[in-house]
Amino acid sequence: MATPTFESSRARAMWRTCLASALRTALACTIVGVATLFGPQYIKKQVAFPAFSYVAVILVVTDATLGDTFRGCWLALYATIQGVCPAILSLWLIGPARLTAGTTAIAVALSAFVVVLPENTHLIAKRIALGQIVLVYVIAYINGGQTETIMHPVHVAASTGLGVVACVLALIFPYPCLACCEVKQNCKLFAENASERFNLFVKAFTAEDNSCALAFISQAKSLVKTGSKLLQGIKTKQESMKWERFPFKFLRPYGENPGSRFEDVQTPLRGMEIALDNSPSFPVEILNSDQKSVLHMLGEHIPKQVNNMSLESSATVPESNQENTQNKDNGFWAGLPVAISLAGSREATFKVANVKAQGTVLGTIYGILGCFVFEKYVQIRFLSLLPWFIVSSFLRQSTMYGQAGGLSAIIGALLILGRKGFGLPSEFAIARITETFIGLSCSIIVEILLQPTRATTLAKLQLSKSFEILNESISLISFGSIGNLVESQNKLKSHIIEMGKFIAEAEAEPNFWFVPFHSVCYRKLMGSLTKMLEYLHFGSQAFMLLEQESGGSIDNFVHKLDGDIKLFKDFVGSSMKCFEEVSLVKSLEILDKEFEKKKLSVDVELGTSQSSSCCNIIRYASEEEIDENFRSYFEHSKEFVDQIVNGEELKGQVVLSLSALGFCMDGLVKETKEIEKAIKEVVQWENPSSHVNLHDISCKVRGLANIIVAN
């Protein structure tokens, strides 16, 4: 089998990527070290903060290509305009000698607010600008009247500039590291991945028994996650390829990013996977010998097409008491780790703070060890960073540490080994850990104050909103409204993605005194919602094909088919409405008390109760009704196919579309039942002492709403 070969090539590619990233980072840091230690006196004087040059290197060059560094140059310039230029004006107006702890804090806060407020500013620019702001104002406060109003901020800007220039040189030599080369490599790996999956699916379709088919399906599923990562890697390099276009367009023809075309390859592969998952037995009975041979021919032909697609659309560029006083002072520097690790969106606050702290401690300890090993060779001790860059590259790829922990580990070591004039390494290391703790603590407090809503609550709200949009999508399933259905699907997809982010954050969130988050059930719910989204997508495609292939001949059967679909829509739609309401209930005990209280009030005033009328709105179909509905649908489908007289090819297309539509409807019904089980489990988890009946809960929620309206 080819699966182990593909996985081994993927593993080798990851090793090469991590090693290449580490070596490029080491080269950039070496350039900074040589320039600041052995360069002309003029450069040493202007680059007064070499440690921040190293920080700029890490912010720009990490996992970057040449296009990323070109963009990083522009972002660093933009950050300097935002951070340094206003600081010069502020120092000139206030005067460094008149800076106090209060005025410094206010100046830093206002400057940071101006930098972070624009949503369109790139995250790297924000991090660099915030780091510059902390350096300018804190150093000015510490040095007081000795600070030069103009040259001090200029030195900060020069330190930033040296780091960015080092990044560009490191990505050019010994040969350019181009985004188009990475895209070409990822295209090749994705083509292999897609080809292998397709071949495995074909083998599963034509397998002679269930055990062989299930083995092929399992192998194909193991490749799905890798394929998605490769596709994401292709997409993320689109911007970088644009930045490489201008300096390299005169060398070779510039290829476009094939990510969108490969996205189209993913969809039919996912459709094949769904079809195989729902096949009752193997071999598939409808396949005859001719059809099997056609499938085998496709298994040989389609992989060649995918490979050609990757090669044609890829770029062809060559590859290429001093203790008591204590840097208190640590509190002033606590803003630096917060500034350079600013997140672009909401994140799992406690988890990220934890991995940042661990990464900082690991890097700091390594930096101390490097200082002791190179105690007699201070001028070249930055060379000890090379193995740490390699280790940190793998830390960034790990699930435990991720980007936040990996970057903190690099910066922790850099600020120890790249410093000068800050005392003994051990003392400075303790100061670094202290200031990191202060900064992260402040970051957590601010995050809690500004975003007090727990991720668990947001996941619950997003789940309810997803049910609402899914209900809207279900109501649009009919002939003539496919355009609106596609729009609703895109909206649902964005909400499911957002819900996934909240679930991941809630899983890492401490429980405190709250009920623990039931991540297993929420993952099941997200999986079912994703499957329903896929069924809606394939169902809408079937609708469009029916309208295109059959032309006006389907008009006479639209009423019959829509009638068959109506019961199915009523069942799934009413269930989604029920789930939407039930998922928002926090406590069944409180709901029961409120319902009884409001119900008695209505009984006394009006002499009637509205609880029974609201329950009549909810319509649940029995298993027998659903089965009868599907039988009716297939009977009407057969009548429609029988009246087609324009050729066997057209008839085959219509049969395929009608069958696909029926298959998707059946899949939606099955997933609705799975969601019902998961929702019931979640509600029971949150209310362990209560009896859970989703229908009754939904009735009470609607009853309360109706009573409030009546009053």
Side-chain angles (χ1 to χ4, degrees), residues 377-416:
Y377 309 98
V378 177
Q379 299 295 323
I380 59 170
R381 68 184 179 190
F382 62 87
L383 294 176
S384 63
L385 286 169
L386 177 58
W388 190 243
F389 287 142
I390 297 174
V391 173
S392 299
S393 295
F394 287 99
L395 288 180
R396 290 199 309 272
Q397 302 292 334
S398 69
T399 305
M400 180 180 291
Y401 286 95
Q403 288 291 329
L407 286 175
S408 297
I410 296 175
I411 292 173
L414 271 175
L415 293 183
I416 298 293

Side-chain angles (χ1 to χ4, degrees), residues 294-346:
V294 169
L295 273 176
H296 283 300
M297 288 174 61
L298 283 173
E300 297 174 357
H301 178 65
I302 290 185
K304 293 179 182 178
Q305 281 192 321
V306 176
N307 279 298
N308 290 337
M309 185 191 302
S310 69
L311 294 174
E312 289 171 3
S313 55
S314 298
T316 55
V317 183
E319 293 192 29
S320 36
N321 182 320
Q322 189 176 355
E323 292 183 1
N324 291 333
T325 304
Q326 192 176 8
N327 257 346
K328 267 182 178 183
D329 293 344
N330 295 337
F332 299 123
W333 291 109
L336 190 58
V338 176
I340 60 181
S341 60
L342 175 73
S345 59
R346 183 185 172 105

